[in-house]
Amino acid sequence: MSAEAPAPPAPVPAAWRTARARIGANVPDLPCAPVDDPADPDTVVGEYALGSAADVDAAVRAAAAAFPAWAARSAAERAGLMLAAADRLDPLVATAAAVLVAEVGKVPAEAAVDAGGASGMLRRYAVLHETADEATVAQDGSVRTILRHRPVGPVAVIMPWNSPVYLAFGALAPALLTGCPVVVKPPEDAPLALTGMLHALADALPVGVVNVVPGRGPEAGQALAGHPQVRAVFFTGGIETGAQVARAAAATITQVMLELGGNDPALVLEDATVGPQLVRELVAGAFTGSGQICQNIKRIYVHRRRHDELVAGLTALVEQLPVGPASEPGVLIAPLTTDAGVRRAEQLVASARAAGARVVESGTVVGDLRRGRFVRPTIVTELPPDHPLVLVEQFCPVLPVIAVDDDEQAIAEANRTEFGLAASVWSDDVAHAEAVAARVEAGTVFVNVHRLGASIEAVPYGGVKRSGIGRNHSTWSLRACTEPHATVTWSDAASTLPGLARWPQPERAS
Ligand code: TXE
């Protein structure tokens, strides 16, 4: 460990200040890099181990060694261990949430949901143990088929900083249930809460079932994605990094599940009532997480007849949003987590202004914004529909609102980007909204809602086009960590399966 890391402030307790690697039963002593506070980047809140390719290799070997015994248990047994582990994690959730406030910069209510994902995901997947162990037996004439779903083997989990605990446990819980040990690479910008929870999880399960290697993406992440003994990679992050992960995995013919960015459109149709409820939903959908959630509303297309009243409503509500450090009571717009995010926000806003757009930077300031990575909540109108603020994932609280002439134009604009994670359609006429929704290119299209939690477990979650590959949630997640395994038994192949006649009969023994 680096001996003289500066003393961090109160919110991060001593036991959580260093994100250490966990390789099997070992907690190696590795060099570390600092983690800062987005509300005051001069303040160091902790440090994370700089895992190397050799550390990743050791962790994957530990996972591979644990695989046979873990896979040999029934899913019901694994579920029992996961439920016991969830009970051990529950008392840590409040501390993990406080750590997330310090390292991600997110507000306490959102940090609580993120941290609660640890025990929540273990429980959510544990109840699916019968599905995980399901074997289907079919008899077709003289042929009997048994179809099982066998665990693939060690699973790599590489996650971003925006919801580190929730996303990582959402990926590892189905892997554990199906019999796959995991190696997790936490994000360098927010490694502390996740790593703390993973050590507690590792303590609750057999050695080697949960391994952690904090470190930089291009080193530890890349080594993990390309490791020959990793059998599946679960990745959430940016498109370019996702492509690098897929390339590394391709070299070893390893399956990938990629949840990449979203640039979710909200289509407000002519027959939508633009009242307080609609405005409130759109603001919550766009500004949760200060705009740094994959499923935020990132662009609004509104029928020209509704445009002015919608913009007036949005602008008035956004003006009320408290902007400040997440530790200040009542704050809704907290700092962005990364410097890169702030730079991108500033460039997009400057470019929108230069393009002649109307830019209203707003919010109500709470506390001191001078030191942190703050971006005021901003509504941008009169913007060309092909402006970068519309076409890229802005990942900040800057929301473009674009007028359209009719449904056709709204659908065409919604579909013109390379993204397709989620979308929403807003109308008083549900049948009309659903007809429009069917034509929007996205993994999920919501009607009259577009917020976290709106995507229920029963439906597959993931994106089309460059928003990703694969789906998660409930059984889709289980299938992503398993391979179909078929046993096919013929009781009378010689007489019912053609093709044997051209082969000679063995000489009969005289
Ligand atoms: O993600 P990265 P970043 C989008 C969003 C954001 C952009 C970049 O637009 O601004 O992506 O965010 C690890 N091999 N989303 O920089 O770089 C890295 O260490 C293997 C959308 O945080 O994709 C981290 O653990 N791994 C998204 C993880 O990948 C590598 C959420 C994600 O980092 C690696 C977050 C490599 N070569 C960002 N390089 C969403 N869908 O919600 C980095 N990593």
Side-chain angles (χ1 to χ4, degrees), residues 265-351:
L267 285 61
V268 180
L269 306 185
E270 184 176 9
D271 53 10
T273 298
V274 178
Q277 189 63 23
L278 174 67
V279 169
R280 196 177 183 205
E281 284 281 358
L282 292 175
V283 167
F287 292 99
T288 298
S290 304
Q292 300 173 110
I293 307 283
C294 52
Q295 194 195 287
N296 278 129
I297 295 171
K298 302 213 171 83
R299 47 199 171 117
I300 295 179
Y301 298 103
V302 54
H303 192 280
R304 206 167 290 286
R305 284 191 48 217
R306 299 275 166 257
H307 175 270
D308 290 354
E309 56 184 325
L310 181 66
V311 170
L314 291 172
T315 310
L317 187 53
V318 168
E319 203 180 325
Q320 294 176 30
L321 301 181
V323 192
S327 52
E328 292 281 345
V331 159
L332 285 169
I333 306 297
L336 299 192
T337 305
T338 67
D339 282 331
V342 175
R343 280 197 300 276
R344 183 177 46 222
E346 288 171 352
Q347 280 163 7
L348 288 170
V349 167
S351 159

Side-chain angles (χ1 to χ4, degrees), residues 159 161 185 188 217 221-222 235 238 241 259-260 294 344 393:
M159 289 293 137
W161 43 263
K185 209 297 280 173
E188 45 272 68
Q222 187 79 18
F235 173 83
T241 313
E259 209 263 79
L260 307 177
C294 52
R344 183 177 46 222
E393 182 183 31

Side-chain angles (χ1 to χ4, degrees), residues 124 295 444 446 453-461 472-474 476:
R124 181 184 289 187
Q295 194 195 287
T444 307
F446 301 109
S455 180
I456 62 169
E457 270 296 291
V459 302
Y461 185 75
N472 55 37
H473 274 183
S474 69
W476 288 272

Side-chain angles (χ1 to χ4, degrees), residues 22-67:
R22 169 79 168 235
I23 299 171
N26 297 331
V27 180
D29 202 10
L30 301 176
C32 287
V35 181
D36 69 21
D37 174 0
D40 181 1
D42 290 338
T43 302
V44 171
V45 298
E47 58 179 3
Y48 66 97
L50 288 170
S52 64
D55 299 316
V56 167
D57 181 56
V60 177
R61 286 174 190 279
F67 177 51

